[in-house]
């Protein structure tokens, strides 16, 4: 609601500020829903792989990656993606384009550790796929949200 102050100037919320805050909140909401979806899909894919015999044993330390580990790591890096998207929305003239380039580059870098882990072929291939699953959920969702929020 706007009102007039004693100088005759209409006083109210700055429309740019309100719009910007709305865009940020919308992006965060969309991002968290996508992150939840990415966690669920990735964990289910890992459970399915485990059910068909993939052991997720990484020789470096000899430990097996638990299903909860997939959920936690996916959730953490999904939130990192949301933070990157927010920063680009705030400081980039082309946030969607910059986000896609950044996220795809970081996804490509994330494929290196499974290749270097020394795990058996099945585990390595599934780990590579499990890096791509959340990327296919998060990247298009956040990029689309950045595009619609800057038009």
């Amino acid at each position: 609601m706007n009102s007039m102050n004693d100088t005759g100037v209409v006083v109210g919320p700055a429309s740019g500020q309100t719009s910007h805050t709305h865009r940020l909140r919308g992006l965060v909401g969309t991002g968290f829903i996508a992150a939840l979806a990415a966690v669920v899909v990735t964990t289910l894919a890992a459970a399915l792989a485990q059910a068909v015999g993939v052991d997720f044993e990484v020789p470096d330390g000899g430990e097996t990656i638990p299903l909860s580990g997939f959920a936690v790591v996916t959730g953490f890096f999904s939130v990192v993606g949301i933070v990157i998207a927010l920063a680009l929305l705030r400081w980039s003239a082309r946030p969607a384009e910059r986000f896609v380039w950044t996220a795809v580059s970081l996804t490509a870098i994330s494929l290196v550790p499974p290749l270097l882990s020394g795990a058996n072929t099945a585990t390595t291939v599934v780990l590579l796929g499990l890096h791509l699953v959340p990327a296919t959920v998060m990247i298009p969702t956040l990029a689309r949200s950045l595009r619609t929020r800057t038009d």
Side-chain angles (χ1 to χ4, degrees):
M1 182 170 161
N2 293 332
S3 63
M4 292 186 72
N5 65 14
D6 57 349
T7 62
V9 176
V10 175
V11 179
S15 63
Q17 181 67 24
T18 304
S19 173
H20 182 70
T21 301
H22 178 71
R23 288 179 9 203
L24 291 174
R25 285 184 184 161
L27 180 62
V28 169
T30 300
F32 279 119
I33 291 168
L36 180 60
V39 166
V40 169
V41 172
T42 303
T43 306
L44 287 175
L48 178 63
Q50 197 173 46
V52 298
V54 178
D55 61 10
F56 294 121
E57 184 178 323
V58 181
D60 218 9
E63 294 189 24
T64 300
I65 302 169
L67 289 179
S68 61
F70 292 105
V72 169
V73 171
T74 300
F76 176 79
F77 284 107
S78 294
V79 170
V80 169
I82 296 166
V83 170
I84 291 169
L86 286 168
L88 291 171
L89 180 61
R90 171 70 176 95
W91 289 298
S92 176
R94 298 183 311 206
E97 181 181 331
R98 299 282 188 240
F99 177 77
V100 170
W101 278 104
T102 302
V104 168
S105 299
L106 291 173
T107 301
I109 291 168
S110 80
L111 298 176
V112 174
L115 293 171
L116 300 177
S117 70
N120 65 40
T121 303
T123 298
T124 300
V125 169
V126 171
L127 286 173
L128 291 171
L130 290 174
H131 278 80
L132 299 176
V133 168
T136 60
V137 173
M138 294 301 295
I139 295 171
T141 302
L142 290 174
R144 189 175 323 109
S145 187
L146 287 167
R147 275 188 204 99
T148 60
R149 302 210 186 290
T150 57
D151 291 340

